[in-house]
Amino acid sequence: MSERSRSGEKVLRGIPVCGGVCTGRIVVLGKTSDDIPRHEVSEAEIPQEIQRFEQALVLTRQQILQVQRKVSEAMGAKDASIFDAHLLVLEDPTLIDEVTRVIHEQRVNAESAFQQVAEKYASTLSAMDDEYLRERAADMRDVTARVLDNLLGRTDETDLRKLKEACIIISYDLSPSTTALLDRKLVLGFATDIGSKTSHTAIMARSMQIPAVVGLRDASRQLKSGQHVLLDGHNGLVIASPTDQTLFEYGQLVRKRVNLQEKLRDIRDLPAVTLDGLRVTLSANVEQATDAEHVRACGAEGVGLFRTEYLFLNRETLPSEEEQYQAYRQVAAALNPHPVVIRTLDLGGDKFLSHLSMPQELNPFLGWRAIRFCLQEREIFRSQLRAILRAGVEGNLKMMYPMISGLEELDQANALVEVCREQLQAEKIPFGEALEIGAMIEIPSAVLTADLLAKRVKFFSIGTNDLIQYSLAVDRLNEKIAHLYEPTHPAIVRLIKTTVEAGHRRGIWVGVCGEMAGDPTLVPLLLGLGVDELSVAVSAVPQVKFLIRHLNLGEARDLAEFALNCECGSEILERSQALARRIAPGLFENQS
């Protein structure tokens, strides 16, 4: 659809962060007021101001934990972990000490001192070159607003609490905590002046499946409450006062989308099989045992990646062996006879335990994480291995280690599994004696030694997110080099092919559980390279299955042959997209 403004309508362009189209009246929130009272306090009043500040921190922590619990129950622990950054702000000793010092030295009230210090921190983050760090400034300001509300006794979090009818929210910004509590029955969609695809507000929008656009610059100033708009979350557009022709064209797109959803529902219980008969195992990625019902509902054949670290986050103590056993067995029993692949702890990098002292590292993704952490923290690892082995009595459980870099780590982990088996046998505790063990292939060194690793495991699962990051030396959250994060880079194509061939020579299956597996435009390439299993986000299962069922394996192999002989990643991507769009055009009709 043309983005040209028609007579009477105004088109604002931003960044699409969650697909969907909605129309309705808008409520404009604008920028929150920074008018915080400042007054001097006497020497005798200083202890009281410090006490007020500390009480506000405690109350804010309770509120954020409450929001976190609601999000965890509604959307899963992965999304709830967003609020870990907020909690860390409240526990930052440097910030707390500086606020206390300002109260002492300047003899000012607690809210004025806190705003002064917190805004200095947020402004410093906002000025960073790194987009990820700039987005963390939004987290800082979200926490700041909550603490100030508590200090000032403001009870109404936001005007959104007062909504009476369905509308579209237009705002300078929406904090993650406000976004998490939106009433999806009343908020049709939202758009903000600031933000990016990596902002926590954007992540929350995608989890809640609310159409959303960010980065509109000045929409909250250009638009007025009560105006009628059309919000296009696929292409990042907000169209004010849309004409009948625009509404008609979007209506056609929406109808096509509804027809596609009906087609996706029709194939939900059918297998993921190509037109020429290749049966592909299509699994789902999950974070917690309660996700099992969503796995069945989306039409996946079991779980290809159970991220167990989310059992360990957002809590004060480590989960016991028994608690882990119950969680693993619950999901295995719910999905039996379909396989459930449990990944052992992948802590570190960007996921940390709040109660475990983990070192500050210059390069956390290259540091003490995943299997390296587990092989040093053996009691934690042993407890998890015992729980997985015990849950293996269900018969459909498999286990894989993350971030294996070579044979030595794999041998050490397998040796510890044997110790756990012997312990359980001696204790006469039932366990899955035939439980299959696999390795994740996420590091170039693992690919280059895949022929050796394949002798010791029953399967490989390629984690493309890290494999791309480590192979191309690209932090995809760094906007200056994000364009270099290229899944179709010739090196990545060859690394995947090498892994598949090494696995198949040893008679083991090879899956992909990274984001490449959930991208319909890249699925033909992966299948052409010989991948046996795809494990994707629950929401992506229907589209990937639809594409597989419209694909001829011969064409996929031709694409892979082209990719293996091509010198340019963009050409490989272009050819992959062309094939996907030709065989399943309905999946891409909402994209400009």
Side-chain angles (χ1 to χ4, degrees):
M1 177 183 291
S2 169
E3 294 182 13
R4 176 177 53 83
S5 296
R6 296 189 170 107
S7 177
E9 69 180 26
K10 179 186 290 186
V11 180
L12 305 178
R13 296 174 179 84
I15 302 166
V17 293
C18 187
V21 175
C22 58
T23 61
R25 300 288 176 190
I26 62 173
V27 171
V28 180
L29 299 181
K31 192 170 182 179
T32 54
S33 171
D34 292 327
D35 185 20
I36 301 299
R38 177 185 175 92
H39 58 82
E40 289 188 11
V41 298
S42 67
E43 186 75 31
E45 292 173 317
I46 287 175
Q48 182 183 346
E49 289 302 307
I50 293 173
Q51 186 181 21
R52 285 181 62 235
F53 171 55
E54 291 172 346
Q55 288 172 342
L57 293 180
V58 171
L59 181 55
T60 304
R61 178 179 173 79
Q62 291 170 350
Q63 290 167 345
I64 292 174
L65 286 170
Q66 187 177 13
V67 172
Q68 195 173 48
R69 277 193 294 271
K70 287 181 180 178
V71 172
S72 183
E73 290 165 6
M75 290 175 280
K78 181 182 178 183
D79 297 300
S81 68
I82 282 171
F83 296 100
D84 287 346
H86 295 56
L87 294 170
L88 287 173
V89 171
L90 297 172
E91 297 165 1
D92 184 342
T94 307
L95 180 139
I96 293 169
D97 289 348
E98 192 167 347
V99 173
T100 303
R101 182 182 59 77
V102 169
I103 293 174
H104 271 290
E105 291 183 0
Q106 298 183 16
R107 293 192 176 180
V108 292
N109 54 313
E111 44 270 72
S112 176
F114 178 68
Q115 187 200 34
Q116 177 182 326
V117 173
E119 184 52 38
K120 184 177 75 173
Y121 274 56
S123 296
T124 301
L125 288 170
S126 295
M128 294 286 187
D129 288 336
D130 188 285
E131 182 180 6
Y132 179 81
L133 291 175
R134 288 205 307 274
E135 289 299 344
R136 301 299 68 81
D139 297 328
M140 185 78 204
R141 290 191 169 110
D142 185 8
V143 176
T144 300
R146 280 187 169 273
V147 174
L148 290 171
D149 282 345
N150 288 324
L151 279 166
L152 294 166
R154 297 194 295 221
T155 53
D156 277 346
E157 287 183 8
T158 169
D159 291 337
L160 296 179
R161 295 284 187 176
K162 301 172 184 176
L163 292 178
K164 294 291 189 291
E165 56 187 23
C167 65
I168 295 169
I169 301 298
I170 308 289
S171 177
Y172 173 76
D173 189 20
L174 280 178
S175 69
S177 56
T178 300
T179 309
L181 298 176
L182 290 178
D183 185 339
R184 280 178 275 185
K185 294 174 185 172
L186 294 177
V187 177
L188 304 172
F190 71 80
T192 62
D193 294 347
I194 65 172
S196 75
K197 284 183 181 290
T198 61
S199 68
H200 282 160
T201 299
I203 294 168
M204 295 300 304
R206 287 192 287 271
S207 296
M208 299 169 73
Q209 298 184 328
I210 294 178
V213 179
V214 301
L216 287 162
R217 295 181 184 276
D218 59 354
S220 65
R221 291 196 298 274
Q222 288 198 47
L223 303 176
K224 305 294 181 188
S225 289
Q227 274 185 276
H228 188 262
V229 307
L230 182 148
L231 187 149
D232 175 359
H234 299 290
N235 299 303
L237 304 177
V238 172
I239 304 174
S241 305
T243 64
D244 290 343
Q245 180 63 22
T246 296
L247 291 171
F248 173 73
E249 290 176 8
Y250 268 97
Q252 287 185 312
L253 284 180
V254 171
R255 278 191 292 277
K256 286 179 181 177
R257 190 71 184 169
V258 170
N259 290 338
L260 174 62
Q261 293 302 322
E262 289 175 354
K263 289 178 182 176
L264 296 181
R265 277 196 296 273
D266 290 342
I267 65 168
R268 187 189 72 173
D269 298 323
L270 298 177
V273 57
T274 63
L275 293 173
D276 44 357
L278 175 72
R279 184 77 154 75
V280 180
T281 302
L282 182 57
S283 310
N285 300 336
V286 302
E287 283 91 40
Q288 52 188 358
T290 52
D291 289 335
E293 59 187 272
H294 303 305
V295 174
R296 285 194 179 279
C298 75
E301 299 176 84
V303 169
L305 170 61
F306 186 135
R307 300 183 178 98
T308 59
E309 55 274 11
Y310 291 101
L311 283 169
F312 289 71
L313 301 175
N314 310 320
R315 54 188 296 157
E316 296 300 323
T317 57
L318 290 167
S320 66
E321 176 187 321
E322 185 63 25
E323 183 183 345
Q324 291 184 70
Y325 160 69
Q326 294 294 346
Y328 306 148
R329 184 161 187 178
Q330 179 184 340
V331 71
L335 295 172
N336 217 332
H338 297 304
V340 172
V341 181
I342 292 185
R343 179 177 72 185
T344 60
L345 266 175
D346 189 12
L347 288 171
D350 57 350
K351 298 184 290 287
F352 299 99
L353 293 177
S354 58
H355 53 278
L356 186 68
S357 179
M358 297 187 75
Q360 289 286 331
E361 299 179 284
L362 288 175
N363 294 302
F365 282 95
L366 303 180
W368 194 47
R369 60 168 297 206
I371 197 66
R372 302 167 180 180
F373 169 86
C374 289
L375 289 175
Q376 287 190 37
E377 295 290 330
R378 293 203 165 215
E379 285 309 309
I380 294 175
F381 195 28
R382 185 181 286 112
S383 174
Q384 180 176 44
L385 293 176
R386 284 172 57 97
I388 294 171
L389 285 167
R390 289 171 57 195
V393 295
E394 287 293 331
N396 60 327
L397 215 57
K398 304 177 192 293
M399 175 177 71
M400 62 184 180
Y401 311 121
M403 206 181 170
I404 291 292
S405 64
L407 209 53
E408 187 176 354
E409 288 169 341
L410 181 58
D411 285 345
Q412 286 182 44
N414 282 341
L416 193 56
V417 171
E418 285 308 310
V419 170
C420 292
R421 282 182 170 139
E422 291 169 6
Q423 288 176 344
L424 291 169
Q425 200 161 26
E427 296 167 26
K428 295 185 169 47
I429 297 175
F431 65 94
E433 297 187 30
L435 182 135
E436 293 184 4
I437 297 175
M440 289 194 71
I441 305 297
E442 305 174 273
I443 303 176
S445 62
V447 177
L448 295 173
T449 55
D451 56 334
L452 304 176
L453 299 174
K455 298 176 184 178
R456 312 285 214 280
V457 295
K458 297 293 186 182
F459 63 91
F460 286 150
S461 186
I462 304 174
T464 53
N465 301 5
D466 274 346
L467 184 61
I468 296 166
Q469 176 171 261
Y470 293 135
S471 301
L472 303 183
V474 174
D475 175 2
R476 58 190 170 142
L477 296 179
N478 184 335
E479 64 176 355
K480 290 187 181 298
I481 56 170
H483 64 285
L484 298 174
Y485 184 89
E486 190 176 27
T488 52
H489 190 291
I492 302 303
V493 175
R494 295 175 185 206
L495 288 169
I496 293 171
K497 183 63 174 176
T498 299
T499 303
V500 169
E501 288 180 340
H504 288 178
R505 278 197 300 271
R506 287 286 170 182
I508 66 173
W509 60 268
V510 181
V512 174
C513 62
E515 286 183 17
M516 279 184 76
D519 184 342
T521 62
L522 299 180
V523 165
L525 176 60
L526 291 174
L527 297 186
L529 291 169
V531 168
D532 306 296
E533 182 245 20
L534 300 172
S535 191
V536 307
V538 165
S539 60
V541 169
Q543 290 91 340
V544 172
K545 182 181 288 190
F546 184 84
L547 188 131
I548 291 171
R549 291 181 60 84
H550 286 76
L551 175 67
N552 185 300
L553 186 60
E555 289 184 300
R557 286 175 174 158
D558 288 343
L559 170 63
E561 186 66 24
F562 167 81
L564 289 166
N565 291 286
C566 185
E567 299 176 352
C568 177
S570 60
E571 287 183 26
I572 298 171
L573 177 60
E574 196 174 301
R575 185 73 70 95
S576 301
Q577 289 173 332
L579 174 57
R581 287 173 183 271
R582 179 169 58 78
I583 65 175
L587 290 179
F588 308 99
E589 283 179 334
N590 280 310
Q591 298 176 8
S592 342

